[in-house]
Amino acid sequence: MTDAELLIILNQALPSRAFLMLAPQGFAEPYLIYQRIWWGPENSLCGYMEGDHVRYQIDSYARTHKEAAANMDAALDALRASSDPPNVENGGDLYEQDTKLHRVTVNIITWFDPQGVTP
């Protein structure tokens, strides 16, 4: 799954409210943010498997915890319904004092083929 493919899926859950890394300045919540937090080659006993293991962090921001959690549930439903659903790893709930926003976060793990074909 590429960044662009993930954006398409997240926009199914929250249309025009998903962004890579940062929401535009002054953009009103709720919204989803996603970013690659780790990637690396996948190897087997035969060597490189022509695919990279990718971990994304997805954050749902909203004024209330209930709304942030509901938007994350919608995002996870869209991911699980995709043709190649990722593994959902761990998550958490946070309140950010400086922005006064609730954040629900999860990590997902998927694959990316640098040659353009998802394994």
Side-chain angles (χ1 to χ4, degrees), residues 95-101:
Y95 180 72
E96 299 197 359
Q97 288 285 74
D98 57 335
T99 60
K100 307 287 190 249
L101 293 176

Side-chain angles (χ1 to χ4, degrees), residues 14-71:
L14 215 59
S16 301
R17 303 193 79 74
F19 305 97
L20 177 62
M21 305 283 284
L22 295 169
Q25 188 170 8
F27 193 86
E29 62 285 323
Y31 50 81
L32 300 170
I33 301 294
Y34 68 101
Q35 60 188 329
R36 275 181 289 156
I37 58 172
W38 181 89
W39 69 94
E42 190 63 27
N43 298 300
S44 72
L45 294 175
C46 296
Y48 180 60
M49 293 176 50
E50 296 184 19
D52 290 342
H53 202 170
V54 182
R55 182 176 305 197
Y56 286 97
Q57 179 177 314
I58 302 170
D59 297 306
S60 172
Y61 288 92
R63 287 278 165 203
T64 67
H65 178 265
K66 183 177 180 178
E67 185 177 23
N71 291 337

Side-chain angles (χ1 to χ4, degrees), residues 15 47 80 84 92:
R80 290 179 180 128
D84 188 20

Side-chain angles (χ1 to χ4, degrees), residues 99-118:
T99 60
K100 307 287 190 249
L101 293 176
H102 290 268
R103 176 168 59 135
V104 175
T105 185
V106 297
N107 289 338
I108 62 169
I109 298 172
T110 187
W111 298 91
F112 171 73
D113 180 354
Q115 263 84 58
V117 179
T118 303

